[in-house]
Amino acid sequence: MLYNDSPFILTATVQASDGSFLGQVSIQPGQQRNFTQNLSYTQYENPGAPDISLTPYTVTWQCASEEFYSMCTFIGPGALVRANDCPGNRVCKPKPEQKKEAPASTLKKTK
């Protein structure tokens, strides 16, 4: 469960313990989202045993301006991850205002 307890719109990125990308979601302030991974049993047989684990997870919270907000590591399956409980700057700078360009034409409407 991912919970954005900050006053900013944040993007949560979830990674497995081997560093592989598992997903990303944008979350509004005060909202929560479930992050699920379909790991159900299949009939596929693979010789040998895996030497890596998908867990624990790492959740990185990022601001809309693409700067780092916070990051939690060693997250187990089914855990609640709050943006403000993770270590980091926990602040987002406002997006720079876009300069308004002059119109392409200087023609004026007449009545």
Side-chain angles (χ1 to χ4, degrees):
M1 176 88 59
L2 303 171
Y3 178 55
N4 182 359
D5 59 346
S6 79
F8 309 105
I9 298 171
L10 297 177
T11 299
T13 303
V14 181
Q15 291 180 294
S17 62
D18 65 350
S20 60
F21 174 81
L22 296 178
Q24 181 173 317
V25 64
S26 181
I27 306 175
Q28 297 291 322
Q31 290 188 335
Q32 62 186 23
R33 296 285 300 266
N34 288 334
F35 178 81
T36 58
Q37 188 78 11
N38 185 4
L39 299 175
S40 59
Y41 176 75
T42 65
Q43 296 296 326
Y44 177 75
E45 293 196 23
N46 186 10
D51 59 354
I52 59 170
S53 170
L54 289 176
T55 60
Y57 302 110
T58 297
V59 178
T60 305
W61 295 93
Q62 197 172 7
C63 302
S65 57
E66 298 184 7
E67 61 190 282
F68 175 77
Y69 186 82
S70 65
M71 183 171 69
C72 277
T73 56
F74 300 108
I75 304 298
L80 170 66
V81 182
R82 297 173 181 227
N84 282 324
D85 286 349
C86 302
N89 295 335
R90 294 194 297 256
V91 67
C92 290
K93 295 177 185 172
K95 284 186 177 180
E97 291 185 25
Q98 294 181 358
K99 296 179 182 177
K100 293 186 178 181
E101 295 180 16
S105 172
T106 56
L107 295 176
K108 295 184 181 182
K109 292 184 182 178
T110 58
K111 292 185 182 182

XYZ file of all heavy atoms in Angstrom:
856
model
N 0.850 -1.167 0.000
C 0.000 0.000 0.000
C 0.902 1.238 0.000
O 1.819 1.349 0.807
C -0.880 -0.015 1.245
C -1.743 1.192 1.407
S -3.325 1.121 0.607
C -4.048 -0.292 1.350
N 0.647 2.151 -0.918
C 1.412 3.392 -1.023
C 0.505 4.537 -0.596
O -0.601 4.680 -1.113
C 1.877 3.608 -2.461
C 2.722 2.493 -3.073
C 2.924 2.724 -4.551
C 4.057 2.380 -2.353
N 0.962 5.340 0.354
C 0.150 6.445 0.874
C 0.941 7.746 0.785
O 2.025 7.868 1.360
C -0.254 6.169 2.321
C -1.049 7.269 2.960
C -2.223 7.752 2.389
C -0.625 7.845 4.148
C -2.950 8.763 2.976
C -1.349 8.849 4.758
C -2.505 9.311 4.159
O -3.227 10.323 4.754
N 0.389 8.712 0.054
C 1.024 10.021 -0.091
C 0.505 10.924 1.022
O -0.532 11.550 0.883
C 0.733 10.623 -1.471
C 1.410 11.961 -1.665
O 2.089 12.471 -0.778
N 1.213 12.550 -2.830
N 1.221 10.992 2.117
C 0.828 11.829 3.255
C 1.510 13.196 3.208
O 1.607 13.880 4.210
C 1.121 11.120 4.572
C 2.580 10.757 4.763
O 3.342 10.812 3.773
O 2.964 10.416 5.885
N 1.950 13.597 2.023
C 2.586 14.907 1.840
C 1.588 15.877 1.208
O 0.553 15.454 0.704
C 3.815 14.772 0.931
O 3.407 14.708 -0.423
N 1.909 17.175 1.194
C 1.034 18.142 0.519
C 1.339 18.280 -0.977
O 0.831 19.187 -1.622
C 1.336 19.445 1.263
C 2.739 19.302 1.729
C 2.933 17.830 2.018
N 2.159 17.390 -1.532
C 2.595 17.489 -2.924
C 2.110 16.295 -3.731
O 1.912 15.207 -3.188
C 4.132 17.534 -3.012
C 4.771 18.546 -2.127
C 5.419 18.162 -0.964
C 4.725 19.894 -2.452
C 6.017 19.100 -0.133
C 5.320 20.841 -1.630
C 5.963 20.440 -0.469
N 1.956 16.480 -5.047
C 1.710 15.352 -5.937
C 3.046 14.621 -6.087
O 4.054 15.226 -6.452
C 1.218 15.823 -7.315
C -0.111 16.570 -7.190
C 1.073 14.635 -8.265
C -0.556 17.250 -8.485
N 3.049 13.324 -5.782
C 4.288 12.551 -5.832
C 4.134 11.346 -6.746
O 3.036 10.818 -6.914
C 4.683 12.068 -4.434
C 5.006 13.134 -3.405
C 5.295 12.484 -2.051
C 6.180 13.985 -3.843
N 5.252 10.906 -7.293
C 5.305 9.682 -8.080
C 6.087 8.656 -7.273
O 7.209 8.924 -6.848
C 5.990 9.919 -9.433
O 5.228 10.892 -10.156
C 6.072 8.642 -10.242
N 5.466 7.498 -7.062
C 6.129 6.409 -6.341
C 6.650 5.400 -7.358
O 5.905 4.940 -8.220
C 5.162 5.740 -5.384
N 7.935 5.071 -7.241
C 8.549 4.063 -8.094
C 8.934 2.883 -7.221
O 9.592 3.055 -6.195
C 9.804 4.624 -8.793
O 9.429 5.789 -9.540
C 10.425 3.611 -9.725
N 8.511 1.678 -7.622
C 8.778 0.472 -6.841
C 9.800 -0.376 -7.588
O 9.656 -0.632 -8.785
C 7.477 -0.330 -6.605
C 7.748 -1.569 -5.772
C 6.424 0.547 -5.936
N 10.837 -0.778 -6.845
C 11.890 -1.618 -7.409
C 12.040 -2.871 -6.556
O 11.857 -2.836 -5.337
C 13.224 -0.887 -7.443
C 13.276 0.251 -8.440
C 14.633 0.924 -8.416
O 15.004 1.527 -7.424
N 15.365 0.810 -9.510
N 12.413 -3.972 -7.206
C 12.699 -5.214 -6.494
C 14.089 -5.136 -5.876
O 14.860 -4.220 -6.166
C 12.623 -6.396 -7.460
N 14.406 -6.113 -5.047
C 15.705 -6.092 -4.365
C 16.872 -6.243 -5.325
O 17.986 -5.859 -5.005
C 15.757 -7.195 -3.309
O 15.615 -8.458 -3.930
N 16.613 -6.786 -6.513
C 17.688 -6.908 -7.502
C 17.812 -5.651 -8.365
O 18.590 -5.608 -9.300
C 17.484 -8.139 -8.383
C 16.237 -8.044 -9.252
O 15.422 -7.114 -9.046
O 16.068 -8.912 -10.128
N 17.016 -4.597 -8.061
C 17.086 -3.337 -8.788
C 16.159 -3.258 -9.981
O 16.093 -2.222 -10.634
N 15.431 -4.341 -10.278
C 14.540 -4.302 -11.446
C 13.312 -3.440 -11.169
O 12.801 -3.391 -10.059
C 14.129 -5.723 -11.855
O 13.455 -6.364 -10.792
N 12.854 -2.757 -12.202
C 11.709 -1.848 -12.135
C 10.422 -2.670 -12.081
O 10.181 -3.516 -12.929
C 11.736 -0.947 -13.364
C 10.541 -0.048 -13.497
C 10.462 1.127 -12.777
C 9.501 -0.383 -14.345
C 9.369 1.969 -12.908
C 8.411 0.450 -14.487
C 8.345 1.621 -13.763
N 9.583 -2.418 -11.070
C 8.323 -3.149 -10.943
C 7.109 -2.293 -11.282
O 6.067 -2.822 -11.637
C 8.171 -3.704 -9.523
C 9.209 -4.732 -9.104
C 8.983 -5.154 -7.665
C 9.175 -5.932 -10.031
N 7.220 -0.984 -11.134
C 6.088 -0.137 -11.461
C 6.256 1.275 -10.950
O 7.131 1.568 -10.134
N 5.362 2.144 -11.432
C 5.405 3.554 -11.061
C 3.984 4.087 -11.098
O 3.198 3.741 -11.975
C 6.279 4.288 -12.076
C 6.462 5.751 -11.832
C 7.482 6.333 -12.791
O 8.515 5.745 -13.049
N 7.179 7.490 -13.332
N 3.638 4.927 -10.130
C 2.299 5.496 -10.067
C 2.368 6.901 -9.488
O 3.164 7.171 -8.596
C 1.361 4.585 -9.236
C 1.802 4.483 -7.796
C -0.068 5.048 -9.319
N 1.549 7.809 -10.030
C 1.458 9.173 -9.522
C 0.299 9.224 -8.528
O -0.800 8.749 -8.835
C 1.232 10.139 -10.681
O 1.168 11.462 -10.195
N 0.536 9.811 -7.355
C -0.461 9.819 -6.281
C -0.683 11.243 -5.802
O 0.267 11.962 -5.486
C -0.023 8.914 -5.110
C 0.306 7.503 -5.622
C -1.104 8.865 -4.046
C 0.859 6.580 -4.570
N -1.939 11.638 -5.731
C -2.327 12.959 -5.248
C -2.110 13.050 -3.731
O -2.091 12.028 -3.042
C -3.803 13.224 -5.558
C -4.121 13.258 -7.040
C -3.529 14.467 -7.722
O -3.498 15.560 -7.177
N -3.040 14.266 -8.943
N -1.974 14.257 -3.176
C -1.820 14.408 -1.724
C -3.010 13.801 -0.977
O -4.157 13.981 -1.371
C -1.779 15.925 -1.520
C -1.374 16.486 -2.843
C -1.909 15.546 -3.873
N -2.717 13.046 0.064
C -3.757 12.442 0.895
C -4.375 11.184 0.318
O -5.260 10.597 0.934
N -3.926 10.720 -0.831
C -4.490 9.514 -1.428
C -3.566 8.330 -1.229
O -2.374 8.475 -0.979
C -4.747 9.714 -2.923
C -5.885 10.658 -3.208
C -6.235 10.667 -4.690
O -5.408 10.362 -5.550
N -7.474 11.024 -4.988
N -4.153 7.142 -1.350
C -3.371 5.920 -1.249
C -3.686 5.023 -2.431
O -4.755 5.113 -3.023
C -3.638 5.189 0.058
C -5.061 4.721 0.238
C -5.289 4.129 1.604
O -4.561 4.424 2.543
N -6.291 3.293 1.723
N -2.738 4.171 -2.779
C -2.900 3.244 -3.893
C -2.336 1.899 -3.487
O -1.319 1.819 -2.796
C -2.121 3.736 -5.123
C -2.576 5.034 -5.730
C -3.847 4.943 -6.539
N -3.768 4.039 -7.678
C -3.450 4.418 -8.915
N -3.175 5.675 -9.165
N -3.409 3.527 -9.880
N -2.989 0.861 -3.946
C -2.457 -0.483 -3.767
C -1.507 -0.780 -4.911
O -1.812 -0.470 -6.063
C -3.573 -1.523 -3.767
C -4.395 -1.482 -2.509
O -3.915 -1.061 -1.470
N -5.629 -1.915 -2.598
N -0.389 -1.357 -4.593
C 0.548 -1.808 -5.617
C 0.566 -3.317 -5.557
O 0.891 -3.892 -4.513
C 1.949 -1.244 -5.371
C 2.949 -1.735 -6.380
C 3.030 -1.137 -7.619
C 3.774 -2.806 -6.096
C 3.932 -1.590 -8.561
C 4.668 -3.267 -7.026
C 4.750 -2.662 -8.260
N 0.178 -3.965 -6.650
C 0.136 -5.430 -6.646
C 1.058 -5.975 -7.721
O 1.266 -5.358 -8.762
C -1.287 -5.954 -6.902
O -1.742 -5.447 -8.152
C -2.226 -5.533 -5.798
N 1.565 -7.127 -7.444
C 2.431 -7.849 -8.365
C 1.861 -9.253 -8.490
O 1.676 -9.932 -7.485
C 3.859 -7.872 -7.804
C 4.893 -8.417 -8.741
C 5.284 -7.403 -9.792
O 4.934 -6.244 -9.714
N 6.000 -7.849 -10.784
N 1.547 -9.667 -9.687
C 0.978 -10.992 -9.886
C 2.085 -12.028 -9.856
O 2.813 -12.201 -10.825
C 0.213 -11.047 -11.213
C -0.494 -12.374 -11.400
O -0.472 -13.221 -10.525
N -1.114 -12.537 -12.552
N 2.200 -12.722 -8.751
C 3.243 -13.738 -8.603
C 2.623 -15.112 -8.367
O 3.130 -15.919 -7.604
C 4.162 -13.373 -7.427
C 4.907 -12.048 -7.569
C 5.679 -11.738 -6.297
C 5.840 -12.082 -8.755
N 1.487 -15.390 -9.019
C 0.805 -16.661 -8.813
C 1.596 -17.816 -9.429
O 2.405 -17.641 -10.340
C -0.606 -16.608 -9.408
O -0.531 -16.322 -10.783
N 1.315 -19.007 -8.946
C 2.027 -20.200 -9.386
C 1.694 -20.503 -10.842
O 0.554 -20.384 -11.269
C 1.645 -21.380 -8.500
C 2.264 -22.679 -8.934
C 3.607 -22.924 -8.694
C 1.524 -23.628 -9.615
C 4.195 -24.108 -9.111
C 2.101 -24.816 -10.029
C 3.436 -25.059 -9.779
O 4.012 -26.223 -10.193
N 2.693 -20.911 -11.616
C 2.484 -21.341 -12.997
C 3.072 -22.728 -13.166
O 3.820 -23.221 -12.320
C 3.174 -20.382 -13.996
O 4.574 -20.456 -13.788
C 2.680 -18.955 -13.821
N 2.760 -23.374 -14.276
C 3.260 -24.721 -14.567
C 4.668 -24.693 -15.157
O 5.253 -25.742 -15.396
C 2.302 -25.419 -15.549
C 0.919 -25.657 -14.980
C 0.944 -26.613 -13.796
O 1.738 -27.544 -13.747
N 0.080 -26.364 -12.834
N 5.215 -23.508 -15.379
C 6.541 -23.384 -15.969
C 7.587 -23.939 -15.018
O 7.601 -23.613 -13.826
C 6.840 -21.911 -16.280
C 8.220 -21.671 -16.828
C 8.526 -22.002 -18.144
C 9.220 -21.124 -16.047
C 9.794 -21.790 -18.649
C 10.484 -20.912 -16.544
C 10.763 -21.246 -17.857
O 12.018 -21.038 -18.360
N 8.454 -24.799 -15.535
C 9.517 -25.365 -14.714
C 10.859 -24.855 -15.207
O 11.150 -24.880 -16.391
C 9.478 -26.897 -14.770
C 8.227 -27.441 -14.117
C 8.338 -28.916 -13.813
O 9.472 -29.410 -13.692
O 7.297 -29.542 -13.700
N 11.658 -24.399 -14.264
C 12.962 -23.839 -14.568
C 14.005 -24.623 -13.785
O 13.927 -24.695 -12.561
C 12.978 -22.367 -14.169
C 14.256 -21.663 -14.589
O 15.056 -22.205 -15.321
N 14.410 -20.451 -14.103
N 14.956 -25.226 -14.466
C 15.974 -25.982 -13.722
C 16.814 -25.060 -12.834
O 17.089 -23.925 -13.200
C 16.827 -26.618 -14.819
C 16.526 -25.871 -16.060
C 15.178 -25.241 -15.889
N 17.157 -25.553 -11.681
C 17.951 -24.758 -10.755
C 17.071 -23.906 -9.866
O 15.863 -23.802 -10.055
N 17.655 -23.299 -8.887
C 16.908 -22.466 -7.945
C 17.275 -21.006 -8.176
O 18.421 -20.701 -8.499
C 17.231 -22.867 -6.510
N 16.323 -20.092 -8.024
C 16.674 -18.676 -8.187
C 17.632 -18.225 -7.099
O 17.560 -18.685 -5.964
C 15.327 -17.957 -8.064
C 14.446 -18.904 -7.348
C 14.929 -20.281 -7.655
N 18.541 -17.349 -7.459
C 19.513 -16.856 -6.487
C 19.220 -15.423 -6.060
O 20.024 -14.809 -5.372
C 20.932 -16.960 -7.047
C 21.114 -16.181 -8.332
O 20.112 -15.646 -8.856
O 22.243 -16.112 -8.814
N 18.073 -14.890 -6.500
C 17.681 -13.552 -6.080
C 16.241 -13.577 -5.604
O 15.504 -14.503 -5.881
C 17.811 -12.529 -7.236
C 16.939 -12.964 -8.417
C 19.246 -12.328 -7.643
C 16.815 -11.929 -9.491
N 15.875 -12.584 -4.880
C 14.519 -12.468 -4.375
C 13.927 -11.149 -4.854
O 14.631 -10.165 -5.000
C 14.544 -12.497 -2.845
O 13.285 -12.158 -2.335
N 12.612 -11.134 -5.094
C 11.962 -9.881 -5.472
C 11.793 -8.974 -4.270
O 11.623 -7.779 -4.404
C 10.594 -10.161 -6.098
C 10.622 -10.779 -7.484
C 9.213 -11.105 -7.939
C 11.281 -9.839 -8.470
N 11.773 -9.548 -3.099
C 11.595 -8.751 -1.885
C 12.913 -8.730 -1.127
O 13.729 -9.636 -1.277
C 10.497 -9.346 -0.989
O 10.860 -10.670 -0.625
C 9.171 -9.339 -1.699
N 13.170 -7.744 -0.319
C 12.319 -6.608 0.009
C 12.315 -5.573 -1.116
O 13.222 -5.528 -1.929
C 12.939 -6.034 1.268
C 14.385 -6.390 1.166
C 14.426 -7.711 0.429
N 11.285 -4.753 -1.135
C 11.127 -3.729 -2.156
C 11.765 -2.412 -1.727
O 11.979 -2.169 -0.542
C 9.640 -3.469 -2.433
C 8.890 -4.708 -2.861
C 7.954 -5.296 -2.026
C 9.120 -5.277 -4.105
C 7.259 -6.426 -2.421
C 8.432 -6.412 -4.506
C 7.504 -6.980 -3.658
O 6.830 -8.109 -4.056
N 12.009 -1.553 -2.716
C 12.445 -0.178 -2.482
C 11.422 0.735 -3.128
O 11.055 0.531 -4.291
C 13.833 0.078 -3.101
O 14.789 -0.761 -2.450
C 14.247 1.533 -2.937
N 10.938 1.726 -2.380
C 9.979 2.689 -2.901
C 10.644 4.061 -2.892
O 11.084 4.542 -1.848
C 8.682 2.725 -2.074
C 7.726 3.785 -2.610
C 8.019 1.358 -2.053
N 10.724 4.675 -4.078
C 11.294 6.007 -4.218
C 10.166 6.978 -4.534
O 9.397 6.756 -5.469
C 12.338 6.045 -5.350
O 13.325 5.049 -5.097
C 12.999 7.405 -5.446
N 10.057 8.031 -3.723
C 9.041 9.073 -3.937
C 9.704 10.240 -4.638
O 10.763 10.705 -4.219
C 8.464 9.521 -2.592
C 7.707 8.448 -1.872
C 8.203 7.591 -0.949
C 6.322 8.135 -2.003
N 7.209 6.762 -0.496
C 6.041 7.078 -1.130
C 5.282 8.661 -2.784
C 4.771 6.522 -1.001
C 4.023 8.111 -2.662
C 3.769 7.059 -1.787
N 9.065 10.728 -5.702
C 9.639 11.790 -6.521
C 8.619 12.906 -6.714
O 7.420 12.650 -6.883
C 10.029 11.199 -7.874
C 10.961 12.017 -8.674
C 11.436 11.241 -9.903
O 10.974 10.152 -10.201
N 12.359 11.825 -10.623
N 9.083 14.148 -6.697
C 8.224 15.325 -6.886
C 7.823 15.464 -8.350
O 8.449 14.889 -9.235
C 8.965 16.591 -6.460
S 9.520 16.585 -4.750
N 6.797 16.277 -8.601
C 6.357 16.551 -9.968
C 7.452 17.261 -10.764
O 7.534 17.130 -11.977
C 5.083 17.381 -9.959
N 8.299 17.995 -10.069
C 9.416 18.682 -10.731
C 10.611 17.749 -10.924
O 11.719 18.195 -11.206
C 9.825 19.911 -9.925
O 10.162 19.536 -8.606
N 10.383 16.449 -10.722
C 11.360 15.377 -10.932
C 12.524 15.385 -9.951
O 13.557 14.788 -10.209
C 11.868 15.367 -12.377
C 10.779 15.105 -13.386
C 11.297 15.003 -14.808
O 12.532 15.004 -15.007
O 10.459 14.919 -15.705
N 12.366 16.030 -8.816
C 13.410 15.961 -7.802
C 13.045 14.887 -6.773
O 11.893 14.513 -6.619
C 13.623 17.325 -7.145
C 12.407 17.859 -6.438
C 12.588 19.294 -6.008
O 13.261 19.530 -5.013
O 12.036 20.165 -6.689
N 14.042 14.410 -6.076
C 13.901 13.359 -5.082
C 13.149 13.884 -3.853
O 13.458 14.950 -3.353
C 15.314 12.893 -4.712
C 15.379 11.902 -3.611
C 15.069 10.579 -3.838
C 15.765 12.283 -2.350
C 15.136 9.649 -2.815
C 15.843 11.364 -1.315
C 15.531 10.047 -1.554
N 12.144 13.140 -3.372
C 11.404 13.511 -2.163
C 11.850 12.640 -0.985
O 12.295 13.153 0.027
C 9.897 13.364 -2.396
C 9.057 13.869 -1.244
C 8.777 15.220 -1.124
C 8.557 13.005 -0.285
C 8.020 15.698 -0.060
C 7.797 13.471 0.768
C 7.525 14.808 0.880
O 6.780 15.283 1.933
N 11.733 11.330 -1.123
C 12.184 10.416 -0.079
C 12.303 9.005 -0.655
O 11.848 8.741 -1.766
C 11.232 10.422 1.113
O 9.965 9.923 0.744
N 12.911 8.093 0.121
C 13.073 6.717 -0.333
C 13.054 5.765 0.859
O 13.753 5.989 1.845
C 14.384 6.540 -1.097
C 14.561 5.143 -1.640
S 15.974 4.968 -2.755
C 17.339 5.180 -1.643
N 12.240 4.722 0.740
C 12.183 3.670 1.761
C 12.760 2.387 1.179
O 12.449 2.026 0.044
C 10.737 3.408 2.189
S 10.125 4.547 3.419
N 13.595 1.728 1.959
C 14.181 0.456 1.544
C 13.715 -0.645 2.494
O 13.161 -0.368 3.552
C 15.715 0.536 1.545
O 16.145 0.946 2.852
C 16.214 1.550 0.522
N 13.936 -1.865 2.109
C 13.588 -3.050 2.906
C 12.099 -3.104 3.237
O 11.709 -3.370 4.367
C 14.435 -3.120 4.184
C 15.905 -3.189 3.904
C 16.719 -2.106 4.159
C 16.468 -4.316 3.340
C 18.075 -2.149 3.880
C 17.817 -4.373 3.059
C 18.624 -3.299 3.330
N 11.253 -2.868 2.232
C 9.807 -2.907 2.396
C 9.317 -4.313 2.078
O 9.587 -4.846 0.996
C 9.114 -1.887 1.457
C 9.665 -0.485 1.688
C 7.610 -1.935 1.616
C 9.442 0.055 3.075
N 8.604 -4.903 3.004
C 8.061 -6.239 2.809
C 6.715 -6.216 2.120
O 6.045 -5.190 2.064
N 6.298 -7.370 1.574
C 4.988 -7.448 0.925
C 3.870 -7.115 1.912
O 3.914 -7.515 3.068
C 4.886 -8.907 0.477
C 6.283 -9.416 0.495
C 7.027 -8.633 1.517
N 2.893 -6.359 1.466
C 1.750 -6.010 2.304
C 1.979 -4.829 3.233
O 1.088 -4.462 3.994
N 3.136 -4.206 3.180
C 3.448 -3.092 4.079
C 2.808 -1.794 3.586
O 2.554 -1.623 2.399
C 4.957 -2.911 4.186
N 2.549 -0.886 4.512
C 2.086 0.463 4.200
C 3.310 1.372 4.133
O 4.087 1.445 5.087
C 1.117 0.971 5.269
C 0.730 2.442 5.191
C -0.082 2.719 3.933
C -0.044 2.866 6.423
N 3.477 2.061 3.007
C 4.623 2.946 2.826
C 4.113 4.374 2.715
O 3.392 4.709 1.782
C 5.440 2.574 1.563
C 6.648 3.476 1.428
C 5.847 1.125 1.602
N 4.479 5.213 3.678
C 4.107 6.631 3.678
C 5.291 7.455 3.208
O 6.422 7.217 3.626
C 3.715 7.086 5.083
C 2.507 6.404 5.635
C 2.319 6.802 7.079
N 1.181 6.131 7.643
C 0.247 6.735 8.352
N 0.351 8.024 8.609
N -0.764 6.057 8.833
N 4.999 8.451 2.375
C 6.066 9.278 1.810
C 6.863 10.000 2.892
O 8.075 10.141 2.789
C 5.478 10.291 0.827
N 6.195 10.464 3.957
C 6.890 11.222 5.002
C 7.572 10.340 6.040
O 8.307 10.845 6.885
C 5.926 12.195 5.692
C 5.684 13.431 4.844
O 6.586 13.911 4.176
N 4.474 13.937 4.878
N 7.345 9.021 5.994
C 8.049 8.117 6.901
C 9.404 7.693 6.338
O 10.214 7.125 7.045
C 7.208 6.865 7.176
C 6.048 7.141 8.114
O 6.004 8.229 8.723
O 5.174 6.264 8.248
N 9.635 7.972 5.070
C 10.881 7.570 4.420
C 11.927 8.671 4.567
O 11.587 9.856 4.572
C 10.640 7.318 2.931
S 9.400 6.065 2.593
N 13.202 8.306 4.695
C 14.243 9.324 4.785
C 14.429 10.059 3.455
O 14.289 9.472 2.394
C 15.498 8.526 5.140
C 15.162 7.096 5.017
C 13.698 6.960 4.858
N 14.726 11.335 3.554
C 14.955 12.151 2.369
C 14.697 13.614 2.658
O 14.469 14.005 3.804
N 14.717 14.445 1.629
C 14.506 15.886 1.781
C 13.082 16.209 2.225
O 12.846 17.177 2.935
C 14.787 16.610 0.463
C 16.228 16.512 0.054
O 17.106 16.332 0.890
N 16.474 16.597 -1.229
N 12.116 15.455 1.731
C 10.683 15.606 2.035
C 10.186 17.028 1.773
O 9.400 17.568 2.530
C 10.377 15.158 3.459
C 10.598 13.668 3.635
C 9.998 13.164 4.898
N 10.563 13.723 6.091
C 11.408 13.095 6.885
N 11.805 11.888 6.599
N 11.852 13.676 7.971
N 10.637 17.606 0.665
C 10.147 18.912 0.234
C 10.250 18.969 -1.284
O 11.146 18.382 -1.879
C 10.943 20.066 0.888
C 12.373 20.112 0.401
C 10.257 21.385 0.684
N 9.284 19.627 -1.901
C 9.293 19.815 -3.351
C 9.364 21.298 -3.657
O 8.644 22.096 -3.054
C 8.014 19.238 -3.980
S 7.908 17.445 -3.942
N 10.221 21.644 -4.585
C 10.297 23.025 -5.037
C 9.171 23.262 -6.036
O 8.813 22.355 -6.794
C 11.642 23.286 -5.713
C 12.816 23.158 -4.777
C 14.106 23.361 -5.528
C 15.287 23.109 -4.603
N 16.556 23.113 -5.338
N 8.625 24.460 -6.054
C 7.579 24.721 -7.054
C 8.147 24.661 -8.466
O 9.324 24.960 -8.678
C 7.079 26.120 -6.712
C 8.065 26.705 -5.769
C 8.888 25.595 -5.197
N 7.292 24.251 -9.389
C 7.730 24.221 -10.779
C 8.023 25.641 -11.237
O 7.297 26.570 -10.880
C 6.639 23.640 -11.667
C 6.502 22.159 -11.591
C 5.489 21.702 -12.617
C 5.372 20.219 -12.637
N 4.385 19.780 -13.644
N 9.075 25.843 -12.016
C 9.346 27.193 -12.518
C 8.222 27.622 -13.457
O 7.710 26.822 -14.229
C 10.673 27.054 -13.266
C 10.863 25.600 -13.490
C 10.061 24.875 -12.454
N 7.861 28.877 -13.342
C 6.797 29.392 -14.193
C 7.274 29.444 -15.633
O 8.388 29.859 -15.907
C 6.371 30.785 -13.731
C 5.650 30.790 -12.408
C 5.139 32.171 -12.051
O 4.911 32.984 -12.967
O 4.972 32.432 -10.857
N 6.391 29.023 -16.521
C 6.739 29.066 -17.930
C 6.503 30.482 -18.435
O 5.485 31.101 -18.132
C 5.894 28.077 -18.716
C 6.190 26.643 -18.355
C 5.338 25.681 -19.180
O 4.518 26.095 -19.974
N 5.547 24.397 -18.960
N 7.480 30.976 -19.171
C 7.360 32.324 -19.705
C 6.327 32.328 -20.818
O 6.319 31.448 -21.677
C 8.708 32.803 -20.233
C 9.751 32.936 -19.156
C 11.072 33.377 -19.735
C 12.119 33.456 -18.643
N 13.432 33.815 -19.182
N 5.472 33.316 -20.764
C 4.482 33.443 -21.822
C 5.146 34.099 -23.018
O 5.748 35.157 -22.907
C 3.292 34.264 -21.339
C 2.506 33.565 -20.258
C 1.261 34.340 -19.911
C 0.476 33.588 -18.856
N -0.758 34.283 -18.507
N 5.019 33.426 -24.135
C 5.626 33.947 -25.349
C 4.699 34.963 -26.003
O 3.487 34.910 -25.850
C 5.902 32.794 -26.309
C 6.930 31.811 -25.777
C 7.185 30.683 -26.748
O 6.808 30.814 -27.930
O 7.760 29.680 -26.325
N 5.289 35.850 -26.741
C 4.506 36.829 -27.492
C 3.698 36.090 -28.553
O 4.124 35.050 -29.056
C 5.428 37.847 -28.138
N 2.531 36.578 -28.872
C 1.743 35.907 -29.909
C 2.489 35.873 -31.236
O 3.309 36.741 -31.527
C 0.473 36.747 -29.997
C 0.735 38.002 -29.266
C 1.896 37.774 -28.363
N 2.176 34.872 -32.024
C 2.841 34.722 -33.315
C 2.451 35.835 -34.279
O 3.185 36.152 -35.196
C 2.495 33.372 -33.919
N 1.286 36.425 -34.037
C 0.816 37.488 -34.929
C 0.445 38.716 -34.097
O -0.009 38.604 -32.966
C -0.403 37.000 -35.689
O -0.982 38.068 -36.415
N 0.639 39.881 -34.671
C 0.264 41.102 -33.968
C -1.024 41.695 -34.540
O -1.370 42.824 -34.244
C 1.388 42.156 -34.071
O 1.668 42.390 -35.442
C 2.640 41.674 -33.342
N -1.703 40.907 -35.356
C -2.971 41.385 -35.924
C -3.993 41.530 -34.808
O -4.082 40.694 -33.918
C -3.488 40.405 -36.972
C -2.618 40.254 -38.223
C -3.194 39.175 -39.126
C -2.533 41.563 -38.973
N -4.760 42.574 -34.865
C -5.786 42.801 -33.859
C -7.155 42.625 -34.487
O -7.367 42.980 -35.650
C -5.649 44.196 -33.268
C -4.363 44.374 -32.502
C -4.307 45.715 -31.870
C -2.981 45.860 -31.126
N -2.899 47.127 -30.447
N -8.054 42.078 -33.705
C -9.424 41.910 -34.175
C -10.113 43.250 -34.229
O -9.929 44.091 -33.359
C -10.189 40.963 -33.251
C -9.725 39.553 -33.302
C -10.593 38.684 -32.427
C -10.126 37.259 -32.418
N -10.947 36.436 -31.540
N -10.922 43.442 -35.252
C -11.725 44.667 -35.344
C -13.196 44.296 -35.316
O -13.589 43.208 -35.744
C -11.422 45.438 -36.646
O -11.691 44.586 -37.748
C -9.978 45.902 -36.675
N -13.971 45.184 -34.787
C -15.414 44.925 -34.680
C -16.137 45.337 -35.923
O -15.832 46.206 -36.636
C -15.986 45.655 -33.485
C -15.462 45.064 -32.203
C -16.143 45.740 -31.041
C -15.601 45.191 -29.736
N -16.224 45.738 -28.612
